[in-house]
Amino acid sequence: DVCSSDLHTPKGAKREAAVGLKAWLQSQKDAGRVAIPEDDPVCTYADEVGIPGDFLRLAWMEFRHRYCQPDAKRYRDWRSVFRKAVRGNWLKLWWLDPGNNQYGLTTVGLQAKRAHDERKSA
């Protein structure tokens, strides 16, 4: 699911090395953890500001697609990076219409949705 409160490394704990998203996802799977638990702050944030759940799922799919590329960046805390990506709308997937206070997908968002819908049906 798209939505750890493990935001801080406990004192004396060994700090994890920066890894690619693909390796981090595998490590979470191997440890029996979901990548973004339902109680993750990104889900709370999306609820508070009204980002629809399907937009958040699209953001996760696109985030995963982009950051699992061979030359993608490496981070220590991928959950935090995803939270920042959602808060800052880094992927430019949605916009908020101030007239009716509703979110809609941008052209980039519609293209990402189409691409991910195609992958599902393939």
Side-chain angles (χ1 to χ4, degrees):
D1 196 0
V2 175
C3 298
S4 139
S5 301
D6 301 343
L7 298 178
H8 305 286
T9 304
K11 285 188 178 183
K14 196 173 177 181
R15 225 178 133 133
E16 292 183 29
V19 296
L21 180 58
K22 197 171 190 175
W24 182 80
L25 288 170
Q26 187 61 53
S27 74
Q28 297 307 295
K29 185 177 180 180
D30 292 348
R33 293 187 294 257
V34 295
I36 308 294
E38 289 181 19
D39 63 347
D40 191 272
V42 74
C43 299
T44 305
Y45 172 77
D47 286 343
E48 288 172 355
V49 299
I51 297 170
D54 57 333
F55 288 16
L56 189 59
R57 280 186 293 283
L58 178 62
W60 176 246
M61 288 186 296
E62 187 64 10
F63 181 87
R64 214 175 49 211
H65 174 74
R66 290 185 184 191
Y67 285 102
C68 281
Q69 300 301 314
D71 60 342
K73 294 183 178 184
R74 300 164 68 88
Y75 291 101
R76 285 186 177 92
D77 185 350
W78 279 102
R79 287 184 185 105
S80 176
V81 175
F82 182 63
R83 289 179 201 122
K84 290 174 187 176
V86 169
R87 274 188 166 272
N89 194 13
W90 289 359
L91 302 172
K92 306 296 182 220
L93 300 176
W94 54 74
W95 68 289
L96 179 59
D97 183 344
N100 64 14
N101 207 29
Q102 296 292 312
Y103 283 89
L105 291 176
T106 63
T107 301
V108 173
L110 291 169
Q111 287 173 194
K113 182 179 182 321
R114 184 177 286 181
H116 291 288
D117 286 348
E118 289 294 321
R119 286 187 192 111
K120 284 182 193 174
S121 64

